[in-house]
Coordinates of all heavy atoms in Angstrom, one line a residue:
M244 N -121.6 51.9 92.1 CA -120.7 50.9 91.6 C -121.1 50.5 90.2 O -122.2 50.7 89.8 CB -121.0 49.6 92.4 CG -120.3 49.4 93.8 SD -118.7 50.0 94.1 CE -117.6 48.9 93.6
F245 N -120.0 50.1 89.5 CA -120.2 49.7 88.1 C -120.7 48.3 88.1 O -120.2 47.4 88.8 CB -118.9 49.8 87.3 CG -118.5 51.2 87.1 CD1 -117.5 51.8 87.7 CD2 -119.2 52.0 86.2 CE1 -117.1 53.1 87.5 CE2 -118.8 53.3 85.9 CZ -117.8 53.9 86.6
N246 N -121.6 48.1 87.2 CA -122.0 46.7 86.9 C -121.2 46.2 85.7 O -121.2 46.9 84.7 CB -123.5 46.7 86.7 CG -124.0 45.2 86.5 OD1 -123.3 44.3 86.5 ND2 -125.4 45.1 86.4
R247 N -120.6 45.1 85.8 CA -119.7 44.6 84.7 C -120.4 44.4 83.4 O -119.8 44.3 82.4 CB -118.9 43.4 85.1 CG -117.9 43.7 86.3 CD -117.1 42.4 86.5 NE -116.2 42.6 87.5 CZ -114.9 43.0 87.4 NH1 -114.5 43.3 86.2 NH2 -114.1 43.2 88.4
Q248 N -121.7 44.2 83.5 CA -122.5 44.0 82.3 C -122.9 45.3 81.6 O -123.4 45.3 80.5 CB -123.7 43.2 82.6 CG -123.4 41.8 83.2 CD -124.6 41.1 83.7 OE1 -125.7 41.7 83.8 NE2 -124.5 39.9 84.0
D249 N -122.6 46.4 82.2 CA -123.0 47.7 81.6 C -122.1 48.2 80.5 O -122.6 48.9 79.6 CB -123.0 48.8 82.7 CG -124.2 48.6 83.6 OD1 -125.2 47.9 83.3 OD2 -124.1 49.3 84.7
Y250 N -120.9 47.8 80.4 CA -120.0 48.2 79.3 C -119.2 47.1 78.8 O -118.9 46.1 79.5 CB -119.1 49.4 79.7 CG -118.1 49.0 80.8 CD1 -116.8 48.7 80.3 CD2 -118.3 49.1 82.1 CE1 -115.8 48.3 81.3 CE2 -117.4 48.7 83.1 CZ -116.1 48.4 82.6 OH -115.2 48.1 83.5
D251 N -118.9 47.2 77.5 CA -118.1 46.2 76.8 C -116.8 46.8 76.5 O -116.6 47.8 75.9 CB -118.9 45.8 75.5 CG -118.2 44.7 74.8 OD1 -117.4 43.9 75.4 OD2 -118.5 44.5 73.6
C252 N -115.7 46.1 77.0 CA -114.4 46.5 76.8 C -113.7 45.9 75.6 O -112.5 46.1 75.4 CB -113.6 46.3 78.0 SG -113.3 44.6 78.5
S253 N -114.4 45.2 74.8 CA -113.7 44.6 73.6 C -113.7 45.6 72.5 O -114.5 46.5 72.4 CB -114.5 43.3 73.1 OG -115.8 43.7 72.7
D254 N -112.7 45.5 71.7 CA -112.4 46.4 70.6 C -112.3 45.6 69.3 O -111.2 45.1 68.9 CB -111.1 47.2 70.8 CG -110.9 48.2 69.8 OD1 -111.8 48.5 69.0 OD2 -109.7 48.7 69.7
P255 N -113.4 45.5 68.6 CA -113.4 44.6 67.4 C -112.4 45.1 66.3 O -111.8 44.3 65.6 CB -114.8 44.6 66.9 CG -115.6 45.7 67.6 CD -114.8 46.0 68.8
K256 N -112.3 46.4 66.1 CA -111.5 47.0 65.1 C -110.0 46.7 65.6 O -109.1 46.5 64.7 CB -111.7 48.4 64.9 CG -113.0 48.7 64.2 CD -113.1 50.1 63.7 CE -114.4 50.2 62.9 NZ -114.4 51.3 61.9
G257 N -109.7 46.8 66.8 CA -108.4 46.6 67.3 C -108.0 45.1 67.2 O -106.9 44.7 66.8
D258 N -108.9 44.2 67.4 CA -108.8 42.8 67.3 C -108.5 42.5 65.8 O -107.7 41.7 65.5 CB -109.9 42.0 67.8 CG -110.1 42.1 69.3 OD1 -109.0 42.5 69.9 OD2 -111.2 41.8 69.8
E259 N -109.2 43.1 64.9 CA -109.1 42.9 63.5 C -107.7 43.4 63.0 O -107.0 42.7 62.2 CB -110.2 43.7 62.7 CG -110.2 43.4 61.2 CD -111.3 44.2 60.5 OE1 -112.3 44.5 61.2 OE2 -111.1 44.5 59.4
G260 N -107.3 44.6 63.5 CA -106.0 45.0 63.2 C -104.8 44.2 63.7 O -103.9 43.9 62.9
F261 N -105.0 43.7 64.9 CA -104.0 42.7 65.4 C -104.0 41.5 64.6 O -102.9 41.0 64.3 CB -104.3 42.4 66.9 CG -103.4 41.4 67.4 CD1 -102.1 41.7 67.8 CD2 -103.8 40.1 67.6 CE1 -101.3 40.7 68.3 CE2 -103.0 39.1 68.1 CZ -101.7 39.4 68.5
G262 N -105.1 41.0 64.2 CA -105.1 39.8 63.3 C -104.5 40.0 62.0 O -103.7 39.1 61.5
K263 N -104.6 41.1 61.4 CA -104.0 41.4 60.1 C -102.5 41.5 60.3 O -101.8 41.0 59.5 CB -104.6 42.7 59.5 CG -106.0 42.6 59.0 CD -106.4 43.9 58.3 CE -107.9 43.7 57.8 NZ -108.4 44.9 57.2
V264 N -102.1 42.2 61.3 CA -100.6 42.4 61.6 C -100.0 41.0 61.8 O -98.9 40.7 61.3 CB -100.4 43.3 62.7 CG1 -98.9 43.3 63.1 CG2 -100.7 44.8 62.3
F265 N -100.7 40.2 62.6 CA -100.2 38.8 62.9 C -100.1 38.0 61.6 O -99.1 37.3 61.5 CB -101.1 38.2 64.0 CG -100.5 37.0 64.6 CD1 -99.4 37.0 65.5 CD2 -101.1 35.7 64.3 CE1 -98.9 35.9 66.0 CE2 -100.6 34.6 64.9 CZ -99.5 34.7 65.8
A266 N -101.1 38.1 60.8 CA -101.1 37.3 59.5 C -100.0 37.8 58.6 O -99.3 37.0 58.0 CB -102.4 37.5 58.9
I267 N -99.7 39.1 58.6 CA -98.6 39.6 57.8 C -97.3 39.1 58.3 O -96.4 38.7 57.5 CB -98.6 41.1 57.7 CG1 -99.9 41.6 56.9 CG2 -97.4 41.7 57.1 CD1 -100.2 43.1 56.9
V268 N -97.1 39.1 59.6 CA -95.9 38.6 60.2 C -95.7 37.1 59.9 O -94.6 36.7 59.5 CB -95.8 38.8 61.7 CG1 -94.7 38.1 62.3 CG2 -95.7 40.3 62.0
I269 N -96.7 36.3 60.0 CA -96.6 34.9 59.7 C -96.3 34.6 58.2 O -95.4 33.8 57.9 CB -97.9 34.2 60.1 CG1 -98.1 34.1 61.6 CG2 -98.0 32.8 59.5 CD1 -99.4 33.5 62.1
C270 N -96.9 35.4 57.3 CA -96.6 35.3 55.9 C -95.2 35.7 55.6 O -94.5 35.1 54.8 CB -97.6 36.2 55.1 SG -99.2 35.5 55.0
F271 N -94.7 36.7 56.3 CA -93.3 37.2 56.1 C -92.3 36.1 56.5 O -91.3 35.8 55.9 CB -93.1 38.5 56.8 CG -91.7 39.1 56.6 CD1 -91.3 39.5 55.4 CD2 -90.8 39.1 57.6 CE1 -90.1 40.1 55.2 CE2 -89.5 39.6 57.5 CZ -89.2 40.1 56.2
V272 N -92.7 35.4 57.7 CA -91.8 34.4 58.2 C -91.7 33.2 57.2 O -90.7 32.6 56.9 CB -92.2 33.9 59.6 CG1 -91.5 32.7 60.0 CG2 -91.9 35.1 60.6
F273 N -92.9 32.8 56.6 CA -93.0 31.8 55.7 C -92.2 32.1 54.4 O -91.5 31.3 53.8 CB -94.4 31.4 55.3 CG -95.1 30.5 56.3 CD1 -96.3 30.8 56.8 CD2 -94.5 29.3 56.7 CE1 -97.0 30.0 57.6 CE2 -95.1 28.5 57.6 CZ -96.3 28.8 58.1
F274 N -92.3 33.4 54.0 CA -91.5 33.9 52.8 C -90.1 33.8 53.1 O -89.3 33.3 52.2 CB -91.9 35.4 52.5 CG -91.1 36.0 51.5 CD1 -91.2 35.6 50.1 CD2 -90.1 36.9 51.8 CE1 -90.4 36.2 49.2 CE2 -89.3 37.5 50.9 CZ -89.4 37.1 49.5
L275 N -89.6 34.2 54.2 CA -88.2 34.0 54.6 C -87.7 32.6 54.6 O -86.6 32.3 54.1 CB -87.9 34.7 55.9 CG -87.9 36.2 55.9 CD1 -87.6 36.7 57.3 CD2 -87.0 36.9 54.9
G276 N -88.6 31.7 55.1 CA -88.3 30.3 55.1 C -88.1 29.7 53.7 O -87.2 29.0 53.4
A277 N -89.1 30.1 52.8 CA -89.0 29.7 51.4 C -87.8 30.3 50.7 O -87.1 29.5 50.0 CB -90.3 30.1 50.7
L278 N -87.4 31.5 51.0 CA -86.2 32.1 50.4 C -85.0 31.3 50.9 O -84.1 31.1 50.0 CB -86.2 33.5 50.8 CG -85.3 34.4 50.1 CD1 -85.7 34.6 48.6 CD2 -85.2 35.8 50.7
Q279 N -85.0 30.9 52.1 CA -83.8 30.2 52.6 C -83.7 28.8 52.0 O -82.6 28.4 51.6 CB -83.9 30.0 54.1 CG -82.7 29.2 54.7 CD -82.8 29.1 56.2 OE1 -83.8 29.5 56.8 NE2 -81.8 28.4 56.8
V280 N -84.8 28.2 51.7 CA -84.8 26.8 51.0 C -84.3 27.0 49.6 O -83.5 26.2 49.1 CB -86.2 26.2 51.1 CG1 -86.3 25.0 50.1 CG2 -86.5 25.7 52.4
V281 N -84.7 28.0 48.9 CA -84.3 28.3 47.5 C -82.8 28.6 47.5 O -82.1 28.1 46.7 CB -85.1 29.5 46.9 CG1 -84.5 30.0 45.6 CG2 -86.6 29.0 46.7
Y282 N -82.4 29.5 48.5 CA -80.9 29.8 48.5 C -80.1 28.6 48.7 O -79.1 28.3 48.0 CB -80.7 30.8 49.6 CG -79.2 31.1 49.8 CD1 -78.5 31.8 48.9 CD2 -78.5 30.5 50.9 CE1 -77.1 32.1 49.0 CE2 -77.2 30.7 51.1 CZ -76.5 31.5 50.2 OH -75.2 31.7 50.3
E283 N -80.5 27.7 49.7 CA -79.7 26.5 50.0 C -79.7 25.5 48.8 O -78.7 24.9 48.5 CB -80.2 25.8 51.2 CG -79.9 26.6 52.5 CD -80.5 26.0 53.7 OE1 -81.2 25.0 53.6 OE2 -80.3 26.6 54.8
T284 N -80.8 25.4 48.1 CA -80.9 24.6 47.0 C -79.9 25.0 45.8 O -79.2 24.3 45.3 CB -82.4 24.5 46.5 OG1 -83.2 24.0 47.5 CG2 -82.5 23.6 45.2
V285 N -80.0 26.3 45.5 CA -79.2 26.9 44.4 C -77.7 26.8 44.8 O -76.9 26.4 44.0 CB -79.6 28.3 44.1 CG1 -78.6 28.9 43.1 CG2 -81.0 28.3 43.5
S286 N -77.4 27.1 46.1 CA -76.1 27.0 46.5 C -75.6 25.6 46.5 O -74.4 25.3 46.0 CB -76.0 27.5 48.0 OG -74.7 27.4 48.5
G287 N -76.4 24.6 46.8 CA -76.0 23.2 46.7 C -75.7 22.8 45.3 O -74.8 22.0 45.0
W288 N -76.6 23.2 44.4 CA -76.4 22.9 42.9 C -75.1 23.5 42.5 O -74.4 22.8 41.7 CB -77.6 23.4 42.1 CG -78.9 22.6 42.3 CD1 -79.1 21.4 42.8 CD2 -80.2 23.0 41.8 NE1 -80.4 21.0 42.8 CE2 -81.1 22.0 42.1 CE3 -80.7 24.1 41.2 CZ2 -82.4 22.1 41.9 CZ3 -82.0 24.2 40.9 CH2 -82.8 23.2 41.2
Y289 N -74.9 24.7 42.8 CA -73.6 25.4 42.3 C -72.4 24.7 42.8 O -71.5 24.4 42.0 CB -73.6 26.8 42.8 CG -72.4 27.6 42.5 CD1 -72.1 28.0 41.2 CD2 -71.4 27.7 43.5 CE1 -70.9 28.7 40.9 CE2 -70.2 28.4 43.2 CZ -70.0 28.9 41.9 OH -68.8 29.5 41.6
Q290 N -72.4 24.3 44.1 CA -71.3 23.5 44.7 C -71.1 22.2 44.0 O -70.0 21.8 43.7 CB -71.4 23.4 46.2 CG -71.3 24.7 46.9 CD -71.5 24.6 48.4 OE1 -71.9 23.5 48.9 NE2 -71.4 25.7 49.1
N291 N -72.2 21.5 43.7 CA -72.1 20.2 43.1 C -71.6 20.3 41.6 O -70.8 19.5 41.2 CB -73.5 19.5 43.1 CG -73.8 19.0 44.5 OD1 -73.0 18.9 45.3 ND2 -75.1 18.8 44.8
V292 N -72.1 21.3 40.9 CA -71.6 21.6 39.6 C -70.1 21.9 39.5 O -69.4 21.4 38.7 CB -72.5 22.6 38.9 CG1 -71.8 23.1 37.6 CG2 -73.9 22.1 38.6
M293 N -69.7 22.7 40.5 CA -68.3 23.0 40.5 C -67.4 21.7 40.8 O -66.4 21.6 40.3 CB -68.0 24.1 41.5 CG -68.5 25.5 41.1 SD -67.8 26.1 39.6 CE -69.1 26.1 38.5
Q294 N -67.9 20.9 41.8 CA -67.2 19.7 42.1 C -67.1 18.8 40.9 O -66.1 18.2 40.6 CB -67.9 19.1 43.3 CG -67.2 17.8 43.8 CD -65.8 18.0 44.3 OE1 -65.6 19.0 45.0 NE2 -64.9 17.2 44.1
W295 N -68.3 18.6 40.2 CA -68.4 17.8 39.1 C -67.4 18.3 38.0 O -66.7 17.5 37.3 CB -69.8 17.7 38.5 CG -69.9 16.9 37.3 CD1 -70.0 15.5 37.2 CD2 -69.9 17.4 35.9 NE1 -70.1 15.2 35.9 CE2 -70.0 16.3 35.1 CE3 -69.8 18.7 35.4 CZ2 -70.1 16.4 33.7 CZ3 -69.9 18.8 34.0 CH2 -70.0 17.7 33.1
G296 N -67.4 19.6 37.7 CA -66.5 20.2 36.7 C -65.0 20.0 37.1 O -64.3 19.6 36.2
S297 N -64.7 20.1 38.3 CA -63.3 19.9 38.8 C -62.9 18.4 38.6 O -61.8 18.1 38.1 CB -63.2 20.3 40.3 OG -61.9 20.0 40.7
D298 N -63.8 17.5 38.9 CA -63.5 16.1 38.7 C -63.4 15.7 37.2 O -62.5 14.9 36.8 CB -64.6 15.2 39.4 CG -64.6 15.3 40.9 OD1 -63.6 15.7 41.5 OD2 -65.6 14.9 41.5
M299 N -64.3 16.4 36.4 CA -64.2 16.1 35.0 C -62.9 16.6 34.4 O -62.3 15.9 33.6 CB -65.4 16.7 34.3 CG -65.5 16.4 32.8 SD -65.6 14.6 32.4 CE -67.2 14.3 33.0
L300 N -62.5 17.8 34.8 CA -61.2 18.3 34.3 C -60.1 17.5 34.7 O -59.1 17.3 33.9 CB -61.1 19.8 34.7 CG -62.0 20.8 34.0 CD1 -61.8 22.2 34.6 CD2 -61.7 20.8 32.5
A301 N -60.1 17.0 35.9 CA -59.0 16.2 36.4 C -58.9 14.9 35.6 O -57.9 14.4 35.3 CB -59.2 15.9 37.9
F302 N -60.1 14.3 35.3 CA -60.2 13.1 34.5 C -59.7 13.3 33.1 O -58.9 12.5 32.6 CB -61.6 12.6 34.5 CG -61.9 11.4 33.6 CD1 -61.4 10.1 34.0 CD2 -62.5 11.6 32.4 CE1 -61.6 9.0 33.2 CE2 -62.7 10.4 31.5 CZ -62.2 9.2 31.9
L303 N -60.1 14.4 32.5 CA -59.6 14.7 31.2 C -58.2 15.0 31.1 O -57.4 14.7 30.2 CB -60.4 15.8 30.6 CG -61.9 15.5 30.3 CD1 -62.7 16.8 29.8 CD2 -62.0 14.4 29.3
A304 N -57.7 15.7 32.2 CA -56.2 16.0 32.2 C -55.4 14.7 32.4 O -54.2 14.7 32.0 CB -55.9 16.9 33.4
G305 N -56.0 13.6 32.9 CA -55.3 12.4 32.9 C -54.9 11.8 31.6 O -53.9 11.0 31.4
F306 N -55.6 12.3 30.5 CA -55.2 11.8 29.2 C -54.2 12.7 28.5 O -53.8 12.4 27.4 CB -56.5 11.8 28.3 CG -57.5 10.7 28.7 CD1 -58.7 11.1 29.3 CD2 -57.2 9.4 28.6 CE1 -59.6 10.1 29.7 CE2 -58.1 8.4 29.0 CZ -59.3 8.8 29.6
W307 N -53.8 13.8 29.2 CA -52.8 14.7 28.6 C -51.5 14.0 28.4 O -51.0 13.4 29.4 CB -52.7 15.9 29.5 CG -52.0 17.1 28.8 CD1 -50.8 17.5 29.1 CD2 -52.6 18.0 27.9 NE1 -50.5 18.6 28.3 CE2 -51.6 18.9 27.6 CE3 -53.9 18.1 27.3 CZ2 -51.8 20.0 26.7 CZ3 -54.1 19.1 26.4 CH2 -53.1 20.1 26.1
P308 N -50.9 14.1 27.3 CA -49.7 13.3 27.0 C -48.4 13.7 27.8 O -47.4 13.0 27.7 CB -49.4 13.4 25.5 CG -50.1 14.7 25.1 CD -51.3 14.8 26.1
F309 N -48.4 14.9 28.4 CA -47.2 15.4 29.0 C -47.2 14.9 30.5 O -47.8 15.2 31.3 CB -47.1 16.9 28.9 CG -47.0 17.3 27.5 CD1 -48.1 18.0 26.9 CD2 -46.0 17.0 26.6 CE1 -48.1 18.4 25.6 CE2 -46.0 17.4 25.3 CZ -47.1 18.1 24.8

């Protein structure tokens, strides 16, 4: 019979590799989240500038004499 204390089934290099892959996945997810925030911010600014420009042109067109 085997004595459970006779051999060690842990794999420190495998655990280290899993940790590195897990850390890379977490960093990638954070990167995608940051990219989404930047995209939504720039998109919001663009839409607000276009709305402001449209309102400004409508206001200035109100002074057109025709």
